[in-house]
Amino acid sequence: MEPRLTVQLTLKAYKALLPVATGFVEKSALALGLDQKEALALTVATEEVFLYLCDISAPGTRVDIQCRSAGYCVQAGFHFEAAGFQMKAFNLTAVPSFEDDRAIRETGLLIASRLVDRFNLKHVGKRLFLTLIKDKAYPETSGLDLPAPVPIRRFSIRRPDGEEIKIAVRMIRQYCRDAIAPPSAGFPGKMADMFAIGEVDAALATDTAGRIGAVLFWTRDASDVLESFGPYVFHPESDPEMAVALLDRCMEEIARSGAVGLINRYPGTGLPPEYFESLGSLTLCRGDGTCTNVEASYRHLGEDKGMTVWAHADLIPFLEAQYQKLILPREIRQVTAEGEKRALFSVLSVEMDRFRHWTILRPLDYGEDHNKVLEDHVRMLEKEGFRAIFFEMDLKHAWQAHFTPGLLRNGFDPRLVLPHGGRGDLVVFQHRVDGQA
């Protein structure tokens, strides 16, 4: 397993130190696996963030910059005093403004947000931890010859190596075109990197000649609930027990992690229904623009000791029905608005899959403009051709529950609950689109 390397720099928020900050991020990004183009983008984003911090911070304010390798991407994290930092420029819908010096400074943050693939924000006391994420550039699936799928009757289950991971991903794209795969399966090299650092694991079903009959992937993080996708069986006349054997191997492996459950949102071609309980379905789209309802499933693996979740009154009936169906011990606490002061601006992160026309909105901050921010994001994403628009709400955080009325007003419906899908349970909303279920 390849190590996840981290390097850190601590300096003061003085503009004279800008070359130190940008040089550190550029050299680190190159050393951690980005090519020149991606490293430059992360470096320019660092320049904009650091200059903004110098403008809004008291002289000599401490800034910690951390660069971390995650195999398929590099993360540049900034830890600093939160006072005066305006995250609204990170909204996809933000537009540059030159009305005054403050607006001009915030335009730098807008530039930074457009140069990276994703970002995250976490409050730690009075300080903020802003993470900018830049993915490695991977080539599209090459025209290499693939082994033709054959019906396999006798098989064994084993763990693949990196080259077999890439072959399996290419076979999914070639021979399982009707099945929906997660975005990470779009690039064989990316999946191989995720496998190498231990972020995902996999099992193959092969015959005595080593020919691949089926594959199953699953996550290997330290959360209470892990996630699998597949199994993908490459020939319809193969022994259907391959799918069962792959799932058995997966559950044997993750049982050692202490996980209490297993989620499957991408069932591949052969998910045995008797192994799982239905969570509901999402409408997902393929690269050719066609959409289909895909069922999400859940399996209990251990004792769920329960938790407290936060919800708006409009969402409580949906949650009660879901928790009763899954027999999950939950205490639902209702959030209220009682005149307390709110931030002025809301911030959403956006994860896009342009090939499949999907996008996922995730809340980073809640403010008085939440309804307009949601409306503007939906309008922009629909204009750019996204047909499946999702919103993920973590019920561990009470402030996120306040987005519920705005979501319902803007055409979102709660579709399913992912137990322990975030810090707490995750509710997935989907925007209604004409012609979709």
Side-chain angles (χ1 to χ4, degrees), residues 71-382:
Y72 57 93
C73 67
V74 172
Q75 303 173 359
F78 302 84
H79 196 193
F80 52 89
E81 290 288 341
F85 190 85
Q86 292 293 340
M87 277 293 295
K88 69 178 188 293
F90 279 79
N91 278 320
L92 180 68
T93 54
V95 294
S97 173
F98 304 97
E99 294 180 357
D100 52 36
D101 290 343
R102 178 177 177 179
I104 293 173
R105 290 198 301 267
E106 292 174 5
T107 298
L109 296 183
L110 188 151
I111 293 171
S113 71
R114 302 304 190 268
L115 288 169
V116 298
D117 295 296
R118 294 177 303 286
F119 60 89
N120 202 352
L121 179 70
K122 182 171 66 175
H123 293 264
V124 183
K126 294 182 178 181
R127 292 170 68 83
L128 286 178
F129 198 89
L130 171 67
T131 304
L132 305 180
I133 304 170
K134 190 65 182 176
D135 289 335
K136 287 173 59 177
Y138 291 93
E140 290 287 343
T141 302
S142 63
L144 296 175
D145 290 337
L146 282 177
V150 296
I152 294 178
R153 301 296 182 185
R154 301 182 64 182
F155 62 89
S156 60
I157 305 298
R158 62 177 176 81
R159 192 169 187 262
D161 60 28
E163 287 300 320
E164 288 173 323
I165 288 286
K166 293 189 292 184
I167 291 174
V169 170
R170 291 198 293 269
M171 291 179 73
I172 290 172
R173 295 195 64 173
Q174 181 66 30
Y175 304 128
C176 304
R177 294 180 178 177
D178 289 338
I180 300 289
S184 56
F187 299 96
K190 181 175 183 178
M191 186 61 71
D193 278 345
M194 296 173 73
F195 178 75
I197 65 170
E199 187 163 321
V200 299
D201 208 341
L204 298 179
T206 62
D207 64 8
T208 55
R211 292 174 294 193
I212 300 173
V215 64
L216 175 71
F217 296 91
W218 62 91
T219 58
R220 291 188 61 187
D221 55 27
S223 60
D224 290 332
V225 170
L226 303 183
E227 187 162 0
S228 66
F229 59 95
Y232 296 92
V233 180
F234 298 124
H235 197 287
E237 296 179 13
S238 291
D239 187 345
E241 287 301 310
M242 282 196 300
V244 174
L246 286 169
L247 279 165
D248 285 341
R249 172 62 63 87
C250 168
M251 287 185 283
E252 288 173 8
E253 293 293 330
I254 65 179
R256 304 168 188 171
S257 70
V260 300
L262 178 67
I263 293 169
N264 189 302
R265 284 187 279 182
Y266 306 96
T269 60
L271 186 68
E274 66 274 11
Y275 268 53
F276 291 86
E277 299 176 77
S278 174
L279 293 173
S281 66
L282 299 174
T283 304
L284 302 180
C285 301
R286 303 181 180 87
D288 61 6
T290 61
C291 298
T292 185
N293 283 341
V294 177
E295 187 171 355
S297 303
Y298 181 71
R299 179 183 174 98
H300 290 281
L301 298 177
E303 181 186 3
D304 189 316
K305 298 180 180 179
M307 71 171 74
T308 298
V309 298
W310 294 94
H312 189 275
D314 293 341
L315 191 62
I316 288 177
F318 171 80
L319 292 177
E320 288 177 337
Q322 296 299 307
Y323 290 145
Q324 182 177 7
K325 178 179 72 172
L326 297 171
I327 319 177
L328 292 174
R330 298 291 187 266
E331 178 185 347
I332 302 175
R333 293 181 180 173
Q334 181 178 328
V335 298
T336 59
E338 301 179 63
E340 65 270 31
K341 184 178 180 180
R342 302 284 188 192
L344 293 177
F345 305 109
S346 299
V347 182
L348 303 177
S349 72
V350 183
E351 181 179 347
M352 299 180 181
D353 184 340
R354 293 188 180 275
F355 178 73
R356 296 176 179 85
H357 316 290
W358 314 352
T359 186
I360 302 173
L361 304 176
R362 297 184 178 94
L364 295 181
D365 209 352
Y366 174 80
E368 299 291 347
D369 65 343
H370 65 280
N371 190 64
K372 185 178 186 304
V373 167
L374 281 168
E375 182 180 344
D376 289 347
H377 275 78
V378 170
R379 185 185 301 113
M380 175 176 286
L381 292 168
E382 287 184 326

